[in-house]
Amino acid sequence: MTTKPMSHLYEKVKSAGFTLPYIKKMLPDWWDEALADSPSGRQFASLFLSKRFSICHDSFKDDSSQAVFNLGGNHRFKHRINVGEDDLNVATAIAYSAARIAAENFKTPYDESVNLDWPVIRDQILKNHPWVSLSVLVEYCHSVGIPVVFLKNFPPKCTKMAGIALRVLNRPVIVLTQVRKHGYMLFDLAHELGHIAMSHVNDNNGGVFVDRKIDSLATNVLEAEANAYAFGILSGKENLQMGSRFNLNARELAVAAKEYGHSNQTDPTHIILNYGYMKNLWPVATNALKIVCKNEPTDQDVVRKSFMESIDYDVINDDDLELIEKLCGE
């Protein structure tokens, strides 16, 4: 049985770690598999797929034995087979596809002269807000031309990173994947902004800094610097360890976090999660978040809405708009 030309191209994308249902889900409505039946159509289809999934176009050649990802030409790596949960290649490629769309179509140019020192940003934000919240920090990033993207849709069984800071087309971009509804994404965003501010995203790593996990007590030098930055911008201190003389229940923690937050200009959700982490009282922290965040939009909705409102719809093409909407979800 003769293999259809488009099926051969799909096999190349699958060899990079994508599943066929995911590939087809991410293709535009106008896509027709008959495109690859002619030499010119096959060339067009392979170019389209390579850009869509951040794969080097040479990987679609008949004699290519292994897919190679391409993050803007400055960072290339091969998909590794059978490396288990440590393989972040596919998730990184998807994040780059989203970051490329963000960088190409963002309304606000990136201000290279902007001072990203955390005391400067914090002071600026606190002039008009009680604390540095997720919505406010996202708004700040967008105001200086740094897109913040929440990615929801990955292939099944794809290992995701907690966050990634990239430089695409000379613009920093932050991609987050946190799915818990409230609180967690704030520190993730501040941490990734720290990597950008501390010049961790550079030529040495191809302009791509991937955080498999974000741990506020990490001892790795770069991670510790990004954590100190995150604590600083959120609380005014480069190290924050919340505690109490006796264990609080959820309602007591919610009340205490609000009181401390207003007195110290620190988001109550950050206080609650810091307390839960330091005291290892996650059920209490989780229930306290539910109290504090009742009737509030989810963090994912906050980031998604702000990002979609920051796209230049006069510039973005229909294919990229459709893809970013699929990646970000609803």
Side-chain angles (χ1 to χ4, degrees):
M1 182 176 178
T2 304
T3 302
K4 293 183 178 180
M6 189 64 79
S7 296
H8 181 71
L9 297 182
Y10 288 158
E11 286 300 318
K12 294 291 187 179
V13 182
K14 285 172 62 180
S15 73
F18 297 93
T19 64
L20 185 58
Y22 184 84
I23 294 168
K24 291 187 175 182
K25 180 181 178 181
M26 292 299 141
L27 292 174
D29 293 337
W30 54 260
W31 188 260
D32 187 341
E33 295 190 356
L35 273 171
D37 290 349
S38 68
S40 60
R42 177 185 169 88
Q43 174 75 358
F44 171 82
S46 62
L47 284 168
F48 188 91
L49 291 169
S50 69
K51 185 177 182 181
R52 200 76 161 180
F53 297 99
S54 299
I55 300 172
C56 291
H57 187 239
D58 286 349
S59 298
F60 290 89
K61 293 180 178 179
D62 291 337
D63 59 356
S64 175
S65 60
Q66 192 171 20
V68 178
F69 289 110
N70 178 21
L71 305 191
N74 63 344
H75 189 85
R76 299 180 180 218
F77 52 93
K78 294 181 179 180
H79 173 61
R80 294 164 293 168
I81 301 173
N82 298 326
V83 294
E85 65 180 8
D86 288 336
D87 184 16
L88 290 171
N89 291 353
V90 172
T92 302
I94 294 170
Y96 181 81
S97 293
R100 174 191 60 78
I101 295 172
E104 289 178 348
N105 301 286
F106 210 64
K107 287 180 184 177
T108 307
Y110 175 58
D111 183 0
E112 291 280 0
S113 67
V114 65
N115 187 340
L116 294 179
D117 291 347
W118 71 256
V120 174
I121 299 175
R122 180 172 170 81
D123 287 347
Q124 182 178 335
I125 288 175
L126 293 183
K127 289 178 181 178
N128 300 302
H129 302 279
W131 47 66
V132 180
S133 66
L134 177 66
S135 61
V136 171
L137 190 54
V138 170
E139 181 182 308
Y140 171 81
C141 289
H142 288 176
S143 73
V144 298
I146 302 175
V148 180
V149 186
F150 165 68
L151 281 192
K152 177 181 180 181
N153 290 317
F154 290 86
K157 300 181 180 179
C158 172
T159 303
K160 297 185 294 183
M161 72 290 288
I164 179 170
L166 313 89
R167 195 168 184 91
V168 184
L169 301 175
N170 293 318
R171 180 197 292 272
V173 181
I174 294 170
V175 177
L176 304 172
T177 68
Q178 179 60 251
V179 296
R180 284 172 284 196
K181 292 182 178 180
H182 295 110
Y184 292 86
M185 199 178 287
L186 175 58
F187 191 85
D188 290 356
L189 172 56
H191 180 95
E192 297 305 327
L193 183 58
H195 282 311
I196 293 170
M198 306 292 289
S199 300
H200 297 168
V201 183
N202 53 49
D203 291 340
N204 292 333
N205 52 34
V208 180
F209 197 105
V210 181
D211 275 314
R212 183 184 311 279
K213 179 182 178 182
I214 296 175
D215 182 352
S216 62
L217 294 181
T219 56
N220 171 278
V221 174
L222 298 185
E223 293 305 310
E225 288 179 352
N227 282 337
Y229 182 97
F231 280 126
I233 201 170
L234 298 182
S235 69
K237 306 172 184 177
E238 292 196 348
N239 185 24
L240 181 68
Q241 297 185 14
M242 301 301 301
S244 60
R245 283 178 290 181
F246 55 88
N247 290 343
L248 305 176
N249 63 36
R251 190 160 297 280
E252 290 168 340
L253 178 56
V255 171
K258 287 181 179 179
E259 291 178 354
Y260 183 94
H262 282 287
S263 299
N264 296 273
Q265 296 179 294
T266 304
D267 190 310
T269 65
H270 178 56
I271 297 166
I272 288 170
L273 288 174
N274 186 279
Y275 178 89
Y277 185 80
M278 299 308 302
K279 301 277 287 185
N280 195 26
L281 293 173
W282 288 114
V284 172
T286 298
N287 288 325
L289 281 178
K290 292 178 181 178
I291 295 171
V292 168
C293 300
K294 186 178 181 180
N295 299 322
E296 292 293 323
T298 67
D299 290 351
Q300 295 74 28
D301 286 343
V302 167
V303 174
R304 185 188 298 111
K305 182 175 184 292
S306 182
F307 171 69
M308 296 307 294
E309 289 176 349
S310 300
I311 289 176
D312 189 337
Y313 289 91
D314 292 331
V315 173
I316 192 169
N317 64 59
D318 291 341
D319 293 338
D320 280 347
L321 178 58
E322 184 180 350
L323 177 58
I324 198 66
E325 287 176 339
K326 288 179 178 179
L327 291 174
C328 294
E330 295 180 357

